[in-house]
Amino acid sequence: MAVDYKFLRDLNNSQLEELLRHTLEEDVSNIEYINYILEVLENREKENPINNLSDVHKAWEDFQNIYNGPECEKSSLYDFPVNKPQEAADHQYDKRGRLPLKRIVLIAIIVCLCISMGASALGYNIFQTIASWTQDMFSFSYTQPNIPPSSDSIIQDTKQAFESLHKALDANSITEVQSPTWIPENFEQIEVIMVSHLASKEIQAYYSFENRTIQISITQFNETYSSQYEKDENPVEEFDVNGITHYIFTNNERSVGTWNLNSIECSIRGDITLEELKQIIKSMY
Amino acid sequence: MRNKFITTLSVFLLLVSFLVPHVDAATYASNQIDSGWVVAQISSNGRVAVEFEINGTGRMSKIGASYIVLYEKYSNNWREAGTITSSDRPSMYTTQAFSHCDTVYFSYVPGRQYYAVVTVFATDAQGTDYRTYTTNVI
């Protein structure tokens, strides 16, 4: 016996959708009934195309293919609680359908943390050194994350002399940079010392010729620090050697070169020309 | 919405700037000073350790720090928590040297924030030059 479903036309869209949902949960075999509901909804959509209802036949086909497979037998389409996701969704968007500011900030923080953790895992540390300069100064700022308390009873204010810069670097297992194989003519080594303090271990090599000096510093920091170099109005030149950017500038009559290798800061300062400075740097790799 | 975003971004950048130590920008090329650095940290014995280094442009007749001021945050305001001068602690400077480094300790109250301002100097036959370095907030 044919069933008359005309009464469905008297129901509004919400009621029809609810009936459709209920039918799909309880008795998907009543295809005629389901089709009728879908047709009513589709006709209303055609008459008033505000709602974006897709083609009823295609929708039914999709339902059969995607949701009504053998593995879905005896399973409800709505196993999850219906109300809670809706409540959550209400909070996810503001009245204009956009994410609220708090959620944007939270997402930004999470993204930053993910990037920083990923970078650390790959051997990069985005918290590390920032080089900056003005007309009057050049500075490195190094931020060391997760710093444990320093044991000042173990490392404090020790000074050790070495025969050469090469031996000092070897003794400290510093391989990122080497002792220069070239120094301007007539300059002679005065002394090489290693000074250990609470937050740093520094190797200093001094060379001189008459009243001119060259100082090479290689400092290993285990703390957040800031260093400053004096400079005059001449511009900073970025000098790349071995894939590392060396910052070259002048402090009145003196030439200064500085660069950073993770937590190791190196500098060469001396009464030499910029070309001589560059040649020393090149000989350190 | 846009204003809120800009405000939030500004606050974030301000907070980040406090994490990184900085040095005063109003400095100039120097005939006596080449470079220097500062560090502040909590040492394992519960003190604030302020470490500094200054490098001269050559061998200096006198080089080091003249005074260090420690600031602490108390009731949302920064106030002086201690001062050490080179008169109190002669090891803050040395003579006839290219550079000088020293660590100075202050007492510490757990839970409070601190930073220090270090005034360094270098003297040779031409004169004396000074710089002020500010540590990170710890």
Side-chain angles (χ1 to χ4, degrees):
Chain A
M1 189 177 72
V3 180
D4 189 357
Y5 294 121
K6 286 181 182 175
F7 72 93
L8 291 170
R9 295 178 187 276
D10 298 325
L11 302 177
N12 62 33
N13 281 7
S14 297
Q15 290 168 320
L16 287 173
E17 285 166 2
E18 178 60 25
L19 275 177
L20 181 62
R21 186 187 67 78
H22 182 75
T23 308
L24 291 172
E25 272 184 342
E26 300 296 327
D27 182 16
V28 290
S29 63
N30 195 349
I31 294 170
E32 191 182 0
Y33 179 61
I34 293 169
N35 274 338
Y36 200 95
I37 295 172
L38 291 171
E39 280 174 10
V40 172
L41 288 168
E42 186 184 34
N43 289 335
R44 287 179 183 172
E45 172 65 16
K46 283 176 183 171
E47 290 166 10
N48 184 17
I50 294 171
N51 300 319
N52 189 22
L53 190 67
S54 57
D55 180 80
V56 63
H57 299 294
K58 186 177 183 309
W60 178 245
E61 194 176 323
D62 288 346
F63 168 75
Q64 293 293 353
N65 291 336
I66 299 168
Y67 298 106
N68 201 23
E71 69 278 7
C72 299
E73 282 183 10
K74 298 180 182 177
S75 297
S76 167
L77 282 171
Y78 298 93
D79 279 344
F80 50 87
V82 176
N83 293 334
K84 286 184 180 175
Q86 185 59 46
E87 285 171 12
D90 289 344
H91 288 89
Q92 280 176 0
Y93 299 92
D94 64 12
K95 290 173 184 173
R96 289 170 291 183
R98 293 188 298 196
L99 284 170
L101 183 62
K102 280 182 185 175
R103 198 164 292 270
I104 291 171
V105 171
L106 182 64
I107 290 168
I109 290 168
I110 291 169
V111 168
C112 289
L113 285 174
C114 289
I115 290 171
S116 65
M117 285 189 290
S120 297
L122 292 170
Y124 298 100
N125 190 343
I126 62 170
F127 293 101
Q128 287 186 354
T129 315
I130 298 168
S132 59
W133 60 89
T134 66
Q135 196 171 13
D136 307 321
M137 68 159 204
F138 179 94
S139 83
F140 277 126
S141 289
Y142 175 85
T143 303
Q144 177 85 276
N146 302 323
I147 302 165
S150 299
S151 53
D152 50 2
S153 57
I154 298 170
I155 304 171
Q156 190 175 354
D157 302 345
T158 62
K159 195 171 179 178
Q160 185 181 357
F162 286 88
E163 281 180 27
S164 67
L165 179 55
H166 175 75
K167 287 188 176 177
L169 292 171
D170 273 358
N172 288 281
S173 304
I174 295 174
T175 56
E176 291 88 346
V177 66
Q178 297 170 4
S179 177
T181 55
W182 185 87
I183 290 289
E185 199 174 354
N186 297 322
F187 276 86
E188 290 183 356
Q189 179 186 301
I190 304 172
E191 65 176 350
V192 176
I193 55 170
M194 189 186 76
V195 186
S196 294
H197 285 272
L198 192 56
S200 68
K201 188 163 63 175
E202 181 170 23
I203 296 168
Q204 298 169 332
Y206 299 100
Y207 306 83
S208 75
F209 169 56
E210 296 179 340
N211 62 344
R212 298 165 61 198
T213 62
I214 300 172
Q215 293 145 53
I216 298 177
S217 299
I218 296 164
T219 312
Q220 201 161 18
F221 288 98
N222 54 26
E223 276 290 344
T224 296
Y225 78 95
S226 169
S227 62
Q228 175 183 325
Y229 293 83
E230 302 300 317
K231 72 177 283 293
D232 53 29
E233 69 278 6
N234 292 321
V236 173
E237 179 185 347
E238 296 184 34
F239 179 57
D240 289 336
V241 180
N242 205 34
I244 297 160
T245 300
H246 303 71
Y247 299 92
I248 309 287
F249 47 92
T250 52
N251 176 27
N252 292 338
E253 302 299 315
R254 286 167 67 82
S255 295
V256 181
T258 183
W259 64 101
N260 198 287
L261 308 162
N262 293 322
S263 61
I264 299 175
E265 186 172 314
C266 307
S267 70
I268 301 172
R269 311 175 305 276
D271 304 300
I272 52 177
T273 65
L274 288 175
E275 286 311 309
E276 287 173 326
L277 174 65
K278 288 178 183 176
Q279 202 163 337
I280 297 173
I281 290 171
K282 282 182 190 172
S283 76
M284 294 177 79
Y285 296 98
Chain B
M1 181 75 173
R2 183 181 170 83
N3 287 340
K4 277 185 179 177
F5 179 74
I6 290 169
T7 304
T8 306
L9 186 65
S10 302
V11 170
F12 177 74
L13 291 174
L14 186 67
L15 289 172
V16 168
S17 72
F18 274 110
L19 295 174
V20 178
H22 65 279
V23 288
D24 287 354
T27 56
Y28 305 93
S30 173
N31 288 326
Q32 284 78 31
I33 297 172
D34 255 350
S35 63
W37 51 259
V38 284
V39 170
Q41 61 184 313
I42 305 298
S43 65
S44 60
N45 59 6
R47 291 181 294 172
V48 175
V50 178
E51 189 172 330
F52 70 89
E53 181 178 277
I54 175 171
N55 295 298
T57 54
R59 194 180 290 278
M60 294 287 124
S61 56
K62 199 173 176 183
I63 186 168
S66 52
Y67 60 91
I68 300 172
V69 181
L70 183 75
Y71 293 90
E72 70 175 358
K73 197 170 190 181
Y74 184 78
S75 298
N76 284 326
N77 290 312
W78 289 102
R79 68 177 188 185
E80 270 191 38
T83 302
I84 292 181
T85 68
S86 55
S87 304
D88 305 323
R89 183 182 166 87
S91 67
M92 280 168 54
Y93 69 90
T94 190
T95 57
Q96 298 304 319
F98 288 93
S99 66
H100 187 63
C101 185
D102 191 26
T103 307
V104 175
Y105 295 90
F106 295 88
S107 58
Y108 163 72
V109 177
R112 288 188 190 165
Q113 286 185 298
Y114 294 88
Y115 74 92
V117 176
V118 182
T119 302
V120 295
F121 71 93
T123 303
D124 66 0
Q126 295 180 54
T128 300
D129 206 355
Y130 294 87
R131 290 291 180 271
T132 301
Y133 300 157
T134 304
T135 71
N136 51 311
V137 175
I138 54 172

